[in-house]
């Protein structure tokens, strides 16, 4: 057997053994449910939206379409990345001052009769999210007159919302509006309040006073809503979505006194320090990838438990939440934004395992071929 053939055989065996021993190769477990996909965004250390996995939205809609006195002017200018000054920190001011993270802004000022209010919105690149656990660390604005939202979206009849109306915040009331937009809300004139898929839940903290984790777990038959790891409400029935879509972060105002109010008298900033999604994919290619990499679901470390937070994500200790994508060997064949923030490559996209394995194979095979030719 030639040196080249022997080297190629050895390299393939080593690469197979390496990939077979990867942690979490079969997925991520939340409360006993397995999800095959992962998407994690560490906005405390990302410098811009390039390669972040998120797209700032750009559109204009009239007051009639927005169903309020004013329309909406969504622009990438109202989505500002403000990372921490040091990549070693997990709390503090951003490089632009103020809270670090992705800032989603509604601009102050009277836009005039029927005018458009400048606002910010982001959506994930991935639109194949079908059931999963979705969570975000968010600090809401203290300026009355906006609606801040963390939600999953397909269309106006398949939507899961956690919405915060800053005009509702006061010393004794800090509510979150839990909403499923459905065929029933469409039939009610886009008014989910008139359906069974709307609940208001009082929070035991001020959402504008600091960062807290907001989360919803989407199953085939129900939605579970959480704040700081505590279950708030479970919704079920026909309003539960059944098709794939994507995650969104938004803050807007249309002047509707029955909902967002506004516009705000001062610029209103909603800051996001992370988003984490563990989900199943509707993409058949991703499903095939999972089948190929998950050789034994019962093997040690083949699945990994997703840790729940135990404290609000603020301060250098509690804001340093766990990211699988910042660990070694825990995101095999996953496309994840960012490496460990303690490296110079933080913020770059990486497709783990497959690219590294291919590169290693090419280098070693080239060396083996050279040695065969030289001999």
């Amino acid at each position: 057997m030639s040196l080249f053939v022997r080297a190629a055989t050895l390299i393939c065996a080593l690469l197979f053994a390496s990939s077979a021993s990867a942690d979490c190769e079969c997925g991520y477990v939340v409360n006993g449910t397995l999800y095959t996909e992962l998407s994690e965004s560490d906005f405390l250390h990302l410098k811009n939206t390039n390669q972040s996995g998120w797209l700032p939205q750009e559109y204009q809609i009239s007051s009639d379409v927005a169903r309020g006195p004013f329309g909406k002017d969504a622009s990438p200018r109202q989505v500002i990345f403000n990372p921490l000054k040091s990549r070693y920190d997990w709390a503090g001011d951003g490089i632009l001052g103020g809270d670090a993270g992705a800032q989603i802004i509604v601009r102050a000022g009277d836009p005039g009769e029927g005018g458009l209010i400048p606002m910010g919105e982001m959506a994930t690149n991935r639109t194949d999210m079908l059931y999963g656990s979705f969570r975000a660390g968010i600090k809401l604005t203290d300026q009355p007159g906006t609606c801040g939202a963390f939600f999953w979206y397909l269309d106006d009849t398949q939507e899961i919302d956690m919405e915060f109306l800053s005009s509702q915040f006061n010393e004794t009331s800090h509510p979150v509006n839990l909403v499923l937009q459905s065929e029933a809300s469409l039939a009610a004139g886009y008014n989910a309040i008139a359906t069974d898929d709307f609940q208001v839940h009082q929070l035991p903290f001020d959402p504008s006073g600091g960062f807290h984790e907001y989360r919803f777990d989407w199953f085939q038959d129900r939605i579970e809503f959480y704040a700081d790891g505590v279950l708030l409400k479970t919704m079920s029935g026909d309003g539960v979505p059944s098709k794939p879509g994507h995650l969104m972060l938004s803050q807007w105002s249309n002047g509707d006194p029955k909902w967002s109010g506004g516009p705000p008298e001062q610029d209103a900033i909603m800051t996001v320090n992370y988003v984490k999604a563990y989900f199943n994919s509707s993409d058949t290619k991703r499903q095939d990838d999972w089948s190929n990499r998950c050789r034994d679901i019962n093997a040690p470390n083949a699945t990994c438990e997703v840790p729940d937070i135990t404290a609000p994500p603020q301060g250098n200790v509690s804001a340093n939440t766990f990211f699988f994508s910042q660990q070694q060997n825990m995101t095999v064949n996953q496309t994840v934004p960012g490496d460990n923030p303690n490296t110079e490559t933080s913020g770059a996209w990486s497709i783990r395992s497959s690219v590294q394995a291919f590169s290693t194979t090419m280098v070693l095979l080239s060396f083996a071929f050279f040695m065969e030719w030289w001999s």
Side-chain angles (χ1 to χ4, degrees):
M1 182 183 292
S2 70
L3 174 63
F4 178 76
V5 173
R6 291 197 302 271
T9 302
L10 176 61
I11 290 167
C12 290
L14 289 173
L15 289 173
F16 179 83
S18 174
S19 62
S21 62
D23 292 337
C24 317
E25 61 187 1
C26 291
Y28 309 91
V29 178
V30 179
N31 293 338
T33 301
L34 176 67
Y35 300 110
T36 61
E37 301 290 317
L38 164 150
S39 177
E40 297 178 329
S41 301
D42 172 16
F43 292 122
L44 289 177
H45 299 98
L46 288 171
K47 296 180 179 179
N48 52 58
T49 57
N50 296 336
Q51 300 179 327
S52 71
W54 291 81
L55 292 174
Q57 301 298 286
E58 186 167 14
Y59 59 83
Q60 293 183 333
I61 57 177
S62 69
S63 58
D64 289 339
V65 177
R67 301 188 294 278
F70 306 107
K72 300 177 182 178
D73 180 11
S75 166
R77 294 188 300 274
Q78 314 312 333
V79 177
I80 298 175
F81 277 40
N82 184 31
L84 289 163
K85 298 174 182 178
S86 170
R87 65 181 185 271
Y88 300 104
D89 287 339
W90 287 92
D93 290 343
I95 59 175
L96 304 176
D99 293 317
Q103 298 180 342
I104 301 176
I105 302 171
V106 173
R107 296 298 179 185
D110 185 353
E113 184 176 352
L116 308 182
I117 299 177
M119 55 159 286
E121 185 171 271
M122 290 197 301
T124 56
N125 286 326
R126 294 191 65 165
T127 59
D128 60 329
M129 296 177 174
L130 181 63
Y131 310 119
S133 181
F134 309 96
R135 51 199 74 189
I138 303 175
K139 181 180 179 181
L140 279 299
T141 184
D142 61 357
Q143 296 298 315
T146 76
C147 174
F150 170 50
F151 60 111
W152 173 96
Y153 183 80
L154 172 63
D155 57 34
D156 289 341
T157 64
Q158 300 222 24
E159 182 176 347
I160 306 168
D161 277 319
M162 299 186 78
E163 297 193 357
F164 303 84
L165 307 181
S166 57
S167 296
Q168 294 181 335
F169 299 162
N170 57 52
E171 291 183 358
T172 60
S173 180
H174 303 108
V176 55
N177 297 273
L178 310 176
V179 187
L180 302 183
Q181 298 288 357
S182 62
E183 293 288 351
S185 60
L186 175 62
Y190 299 100
N191 183 16
I193 296 177
T195 73
D196 294 332
D197 299 323
F198 177 85
Q199 296 285 333
V200 179
H201 193 96
Q202 286 291 338
L203 297 169
F205 53 79
D206 180 358
S208 66
F211 288 93
H212 296 272
E213 184 183 89
Y214 304 100
R215 164 184 159 193
F216 52 89
D217 290 0
W218 171 27
F219 303 90
Q220 286 183 299
D221 62 345
R222 69 190 187 279
I223 310 291
E224 295 176 351
F225 294 94
Y226 296 80
D228 287 342
V230 177
L231 179 64
L232 304 178
K233 184 68 179 178
T234 300
M235 292 187 184
S236 58
D238 295 338
V240 176
S242 58
K243 297 179 181 179
H246 57 200
L247 283 181
M248 301 191 72
L249 293 160
S250 178
Q251 188 181 206
W252 57 271
S253 176
N254 67 353
D256 182 356
K258 295 181 179 180
W259 197 248
S260 73
E265 295 183 359
Q266 300 181 42
D267 288 351
I269 300 175
M270 180 179 90
T271 308
V272 185
N273 60 14
Y274 65 80
V275 176
K276 302 175 184 180
Y278 311 96
F279 59 98
N280 293 325
S281 174
S282 62
D283 187 331
T284 55
K285 291 183 179 179
R286 293 300 303 164
Q287 293 170 5
D288 290 343
D289 287 340
W290 179 83
S291 296
N292 290 332
R293 74 174 182 264
C294 181
R295 298 179 180 87
D296 181 2
I297 199 170
N298 296 313
N301 302 322
T303 63
C304 296
E305 290 281 344
V306 178
D308 290 335
I309 66 165
T310 56
Q314 51 195 337
N316 246 332
V317 176
S318 59
N320 186 2
T321 60
F322 184 85
F323 290 83
F324 288 100
S325 51
Q326 292 173 6
Q327 315 303 314
Q328 294 294 324
N329 208 37
M330 283 190 164
T331 52
V332 171
N333 202 32
Q334 298 281 4
T335 306
V336 293
D339 288 314
N340 191 312
N342 296 333
T343 71
E344 295 292 347
T345 59
S346 177
W349 275 82
S350 56
I351 302 178
R352 309 299 175 93
S353 178
S354 55
V355 172
Q356 295 174 352
F358 177 79
S359 300
T360 303
T361 301
M362 291 300 100
V363 170
L364 294 177
L365 286 177
S366 296
F367 177 74
F369 179 79
F370 172 77
M371 293 302 295
E372 175 81 358
W373 172 82
W374 181 260
S375 62

